[in-house]
Amino acid sequence: MTNGASTVALDQARNNLASLWLIAAVVIVIVVAAETMFGGIDQSHAQSVWEWLLPTLTPTVGIILSTLSRTAFQSSPSRAMVRKTYYRVAFWLSVFYLALILASIVFRQSIADDTAAWLSNLQTSNLWLAPIQGFVALVLGILFTSAKHHPEGK
Amino acid sequence: MPFAQKRKILNYLAIFLIAVILACIAGLWLLTRTVPGSAPPSRSEGNMAPLEGPRPQQSEGSMAPLHPPSQKPSEPEKPAPIPSLPSPTAPQQAEVLPQFPWPPPQASARTVLPALQTAGGASPKTFGDIDAVLSSALLQTGYGDKGYYAVPGGFAVAARMEQIYANGRSMPPPARFSLSPPVPPVFSLDYFKGLFIARNGYFRVVVFIVSGQPFTLSPSGPSEAEATGWPHGGANALPIAVASMPLATGYDVTALIYEFQNSTAGDSRKFILLSPQDQGSTVVLLSGIDHLRQSGLWDALGLR
C-alpha cells in the first residue's frame, strides 16, 4: 500500500492512528476508572479528575470515530495517499501527547502528595497540554476529514 | 518491515498491554479482599471521627474513664480548677510552665505505666528523677523535641509528632517526622498499588502525664495542629523548682497516645484523630502498650 518510500495509503495511516488513539484512550480510561473505583482517588475529587481527563481525549477520539463510521460502508478502499513525513508527524505527535496524559496519571504519586495537590497540578498542566492538543487536533483533523482522492501513482 | 505487519504488531502489543493492566487490577482487587485475621493489623477506613466537634459519649473497655464511683460519667465535663502543686514554689512553676489542656483531650489510647526506675535502679524520689527517666527514653528512641506543661498535681511532657506504620512501629527518618506518607520507589509494586489504593499515613503524639491525681479525658480530641504544636508550645525543660519536688505517694505516669490518620486519596492535610469513641468504627486501634512497645519507649523506659 505504500507508494515508493515517500507516501502511505490514507486508509492505512488512518487505521494506524485510530488504533493508537483508541487503545491509548481505553488504557487511560481503565486506569482512571480503576483509581476511582478502588479509592485511589477520593470520591470528592473524582468528578474534577474526570472533568480534566475527558476533554483531553474526547474531541480527537470523536473525530476519529466519526471518520471511521463515515468510511465504514465504502465499497472500495480509498486510493488517496499521504506523505509519510506528514503521517509520521501525526503519529509521533499523538504518541507524545498521549504519553504526557498517561504519565500525568501514572506518575501522580511522584508529582503530588495527594489527589488535591495532583488536581491542582493537572489544572496547571493544561497550560502545555492545550497547545499540544491543538496541534494534534489540527494534524489529525486534516488527515481524518480530508476527502480528497489522488489517483494511485500520481 | 511491511506497513501492515507493523500495525499488526502494534495491535497485539496494545491488546497485551490492556490484558496486563486488567490482570493487575483484578489482582489488586483480590489483594484488597484478604480474609480478616490473615493479614497483619491493618487499618480499614471506617467511620472515623472528625478532628473537631464534640464526642457524644465516652467509650467503654480499654478507655474506661477514671471517674470516682460518685461521679456520673454522663455529666457534662466542667473545666476542672487546676490545683497547685504541693509546694510553696507552685506559683513560680505555673508562671514558667504553660498549662496542658485539662482534662486532657480525648486520646486514641491510654495506659498507666508500671513503676519506673531510675538509671541506677532506684525508685524515683522527685519529679526530676521521673523526668530524667522519661527524657532519657525519649532521647534513646529518637524523639528530638519535647515540651513540658503543668498539670494538676504534676507535669506533662509531650513528644514530637511522628509518622508510624500501621502496626505502630516508628518510621525511619526522614519519613518519621514528615506529615505526608512516603512515596514508594517508582516502578515498584507499592507504587503501582498506591495508584489504585489510597496510601494512608498514621501519625502519633505521645504525652506522658506525671501526676498523683486521677483524671478523665475530655470528650473532644485535639486537632492535628494542636497536637503538633505541643512539643514547641511547652517549656524546653522542667524548672528546677518543680524537678526538686518530692513525688507524692500514689503518683502515676500515664501515657496518652494521640493517633491521627490522613490519606493520599483526598487532601492529605486533613488529619483524622483515631478514637475509640467512634461508634461503629471499623478502625483497628492499637492499645497504649502496643504503641509504646512499637515505638521502643517501653524498652527504653526499662519496662518489661
Side-chain angles (χ1 to χ4, degrees):
Chain A
M1 294 294 278
T2 55
N3 183 10
S6 60
T7 57
V8 58
L10 182 61
D11 276 353
Q12 192 78 64
R14 281 176 175 174
N15 286 345
N16 283 354
L17 287 165
S19 299
L20 172 71
W21 268 87
L22 292 177
I23 288 161
V26 166
V27 168
I28 290 168
V29 166
I30 286 175
V31 169
V32 178
E35 285 183 314
T36 310
M37 281 194 303
F38 291 119
I41 296 171
D42 192 63
Q43 291 297 321
S44 59
H45 294 92
Q47 189 175 344
S48 305
V49 172
W50 284 96
E51 277 173 2
W52 169 84
L53 176 67
L54 291 180
T56 62
L57 296 173
T58 45
T60 315
V61 172
I63 292 173
I64 291 169
L65 287 179
S66 64
T67 305
L68 290 182
S69 310
R70 188 160 44 82
T71 57
F73 300 102
Q74 285 180 356
S75 53
S76 59
S78 166
R79 290 181 176 181
M81 304 298 287
V82 61
R83 281 191 191 280
K84 224 172 191 177
T85 317
Y86 187 76
Y87 162 73
R88 280 179 178 160
V89 167
F91 185 85
W92 287 110
L93 204 56
S94 296
V95 168
F96 178 61
Y97 176 70
L98 292 166
L100 275 181
I101 294 173
L102 193 61
S104 302
I105 294 162
V106 171
F107 296 114
R108 70 183 171 93
Q109 295 173 94
S110 307
I111 297 168
D113 284 341
D114 53 45
T115 306
W118 177 54
L119 261 174
S120 170
N121 288 339
L122 288 184
Q123 301 306 327
T124 311
S125 74
N126 282 336
L127 291 174
W128 56 85
L129 281 179
I132 298 170
Q133 187 182 18
F135 292 135
V136 173
L138 177 76
V139 172
L140 291 187
I142 291 170
L143 207 57
F144 276 85
T145 56
S146 171
K148 197 174 178 182
H149 285 232
H150 298 280
E152 197 171 9
K154 196 171 178 179
Chain B
M1 190 184 287
F3 210 75
Q5 203 175 337
K6 273 186 188 172
R7 192 166 66 87
K8 251 185 191 173
I9 291 170
L10 186 71
N11 285 347
Y12 287 140
L13 275 175
I15 290 164
F16 175 73
L17 186 64
I18 290 174
V20 166
I21 288 173
L22 286 174
C24 290
I25 289 169
L28 277 172
W29 182 75
L30 286 173
L31 273 176
T32 55
R33 304 209 170 260
T34 48
V35 181
S38 64
S42 61
R43 318 295 181 84
S44 52
E45 291 173 45
N47 299 327
M48 284 169 291
L51 290 180
E52 291 163 10
R55 308 291 168 121
Q57 57 186 47
Q58 281 278 20
S59 67
E60 294 176 359
S62 62
M63 295 294 293
L66 300 173
H67 291 292
S70 59
Q71 193 178 346
K72 291 178 184 174
S74 58
E75 281 178 2
E77 301 263 0
K78 290 176 187 172
I82 299 176
S84 58
L85 285 166
S87 162
T89 53
Q92 292 171 13
Q93 182 250 1
E95 285 170 18
V96 177
L97 288 182
Q99 296 290 343
F100 192 74
W102 203 261
Q106 183 60 237
S108 309
R110 172 176 69 182
T111 190
V112 177
L113 303 185
L116 297 176
Q117 290 188 326
T118 59
S123 294
K125 301 275 187 300
T126 62
F127 280 128
D129 291 342
I130 290 284
D131 175 43
V133 176
L134 293 177
S135 294
S136 166
L138 288 170
L139 196 65
Q140 274 182 50
T141 45
Y143 294 92
D145 303 332
K146 61 182 189 296
Y148 290 90
Y149 290 86
V151 298
F155 72 95
V157 56
R160 189 176 177 185
M161 180 182 270
E162 61 171 338
Q163 189 169 188
I164 58 175
Y165 293 106
N167 64 2
R169 194 159 53 86
S170 302
M171 278 197 180
R176 184 175 179 185
F177 298 114
S178 162
L179 292 181
S180 299
V183 180
V186 183
F187 301 122
S188 67
L189 184 64
D190 282 343
Y191 192 91
F192 181 72
K193 205 174 157 186
L195 198 59
F196 300 102
I197 299 163
R199 285 178 294 118
N200 291 329
Y202 298 98
F203 303 86
R204 171 172 62 206
V205 175
V206 181
V207 178
F208 291 107
I209 292 183
V210 183
S211 172
Q213 290 190 13
F215 58 90
T216 60
L217 296 176
S218 162
S220 58
S223 69
E224 172 266 331
E226 200 181 343
T228 310
W230 281 336
H232 300 285
N236 64 330
L238 199 63
I240 296 170
V242 179
S244 58
M245 285 181 194
L247 281 168
T249 13
Y251 81 94
D252 279 317
V253 180
T254 306
L256 300 180
I257 313 294
Y258 295 90
E259 190 182 1
F260 295 87
Q261 184 189 33
N262 71 359
S263 171
T264 57
D267 190 347
S268 62
R269 289 167 300 179
K270 200 173 162 188
F271 287 74
I272 295 165
L273 176 71
L274 300 181
S275 164
Q277 279 198 328
D278 303 323
Q279 301 297 320
S281 169
T282 55
V283 176
V284 180
L285 282 174
L286 299 176
S287 69
I289 292 176
D290 285 338
H291 275 290
L292 293 177
R293 282 190 195 281
Q294 295 286 30
S295 66
L297 280 168
W298 190 265
D299 291 336
L301 288 167
L303 301 170
R304 294 285 177 268

